[in-house]
Amino acid sequence: MEKHNFRPFDFQNLVLLVLAILIIGGVIFFRPFWGLMDDSSHLFSLLPDIQRQGLWRAVWNYGLGDLSWGMFRPTYPLMVYGLYQPGVLLGPIATFLLNALFSIFCVLYCGGTLAGIVGVRREWVFIGAAAIFYQYDLLQHPSLQEKLVILFGTWLVQLSFEPWFKSRALNLLVFVSAFLLGLFSKASFLIFYSMALWVFFSVNRIKLFEKKEIRPWLNLLGFFLLGVGAVLFLAFVASKGSYTARYSLSRILPNLISLEGLMFLGPVFCFAIWILKDRKSFLERP
């Protein structure tokens, strides 16, 4: 992964520093209070359950109870406990400050990882992320589980690009752990799974096509089967839930031919054409 020297007085870094100060300062100045129905559920239901049952038993029971809604998110109570319990003890501002720091960390981790993979300066990626207004929902609503999706999804992408250890067994253990934690955070984690699959394919393309090594093909097959298993698992869970029962596989095709679907398929189609047209260049590119 390409390394970039951090220059604190660059324009991009000053913009990010000012933005971070404004976010943290805004939380301290405005002193936000809990307001969503999710906040009420966590404060008067989930946290008391954790106190009565203990953290890990409550995590397990929450995951089982979540199945009736058509979801399986056993990692969610861990985030709720970490963000809301300090707020119960010290006031809501503690929850919002911790949430702001956690949200900023997740976005920086994701932006830094993606910048390293594509070889661009991280600061520009951070500024681009800050320009997306929907990012600020993470700061306004501590209950949003998308933070976990970003965290575990980025971890999986990072591991697909550059393993952490020399030991294959350790790498496999960490990789599967990242995948399962992401899968158990929210179904939208599969967006990061698809990114990680492309990254793994791109990094190993020479071993796959030119050197024709067996192990990368086996790893790619295992990677693909993990995704298939995840889709089948989530589809089964969703089909049994009261909240997700209206979801249907029949909506996949209409969604793919929608404007958003074409925006997704366009780059994939162009990438496939590029590989087929100039396979040699694709394989020789560093």
Side-chain angles (χ1 to χ4, degrees), residues 7-244:
R7 296 181 284 272
F9 297 105
D10 279 6
F11 170 75
Q12 301 95 322
N13 292 320
L14 287 175
V15 171
L16 293 169
L17 180 61
V18 170
L19 183 61
I21 291 174
L22 288 176
I23 291 173
I24 302 301
V27 173
I28 296 174
F29 180 79
F30 290 105
R31 301 180 66 86
F33 197 79
W34 297 306
L36 287 181
M37 62 179 181
D38 288 346
D39 297 336
S40 175
S41 174
H42 299 334
L43 292 170
F44 298 107
S45 179
L46 183 52
L47 286 182
D49 285 345
I50 292 175
Q51 293 173 353
R52 287 193 301 269
Q53 304 172 15
L55 178 60
W56 298 110
R57 180 173 292 276
V59 165
W60 175 252
N61 290 335
Y62 183 91
L64 293 180
D66 214 21
L67 293 173
S68 64
W69 291 84
M71 295 174 280
F72 187 62
R73 303 165 298 168
T75 58
Y76 190 43
L78 297 173
M79 187 194 77
V80 170
Y81 183 76
L83 294 180
Y84 282 81
Q85 185 62 27
V88 172
L89 300 175
L90 304 174
I93 191 173
T95 293
F96 282 89
L97 280 174
L98 287 173
N99 178 66
L101 293 173
F102 185 37
S103 299
I104 291 172
F105 169 77
C106 290
V107 173
L108 292 182
Y109 178 39
C110 182
T113 299
L114 296 180
I117 291 174
V118 300
V120 299
R121 285 197 61 181
R122 294 172 297 176
E123 293 82 1
W124 286 116
V125 177
F126 297 155
I127 291 177
I132 301 175
F133 291 110
Y134 290 109
Q135 301 281 12
Y136 295 91
D137 288 347
L138 300 176
L139 303 172
Q140 297 175 7
H141 309 303
S143 61
L144 290 181
Q145 59 232 260
E146 279 70 18
K147 295 183 288 290
L148 296 179
V149 174
I150 294 173
L151 177 64
F152 298 136
T154 302
W155 189 19
L156 187 72
V157 172
Q158 184 184 45
L159 293 172
S160 302
F161 179 73
E162 190 175 37
W164 281 9
F165 306 104
K166 294 181 179 180
S167 169
R168 291 172 179 170
L170 280 177
N171 284 325
L172 178 62
L173 177 63
V174 172
F175 183 88
V176 173
S177 298
F179 179 83
L180 291 177
L181 286 171
L183 180 64
F184 296 159
S185 61
K186 196 174 182 180
S188 53
F189 163 77
L190 291 183
I191 297 173
F192 281 91
Y193 164 81
S194 64
M195 293 168 57
L197 185 61
W198 277 112
V199 168
F200 180 84
F201 174 77
S202 300
V203 169
N204 291 277
R205 63 190 185 277
I206 294 179
K207 294 180 180 179
L208 291 168
F209 295 105
E210 189 174 279
K211 297 182 179 180
K212 295 182 173 58
E213 297 181 9
I214 298 299
R215 184 173 295 277
W217 279 108
L218 293 176
N219 291 339
L220 183 63
L221 177 62
F223 205 151
F224 178 76
L225 291 178
L226 274 179
V228 172
V231 170
L232 293 176
F233 169 74
L234 293 174
F236 174 78
V237 171
S239 68
K240 304 297 182 181
S242 58
Y243 183 77
T244 56

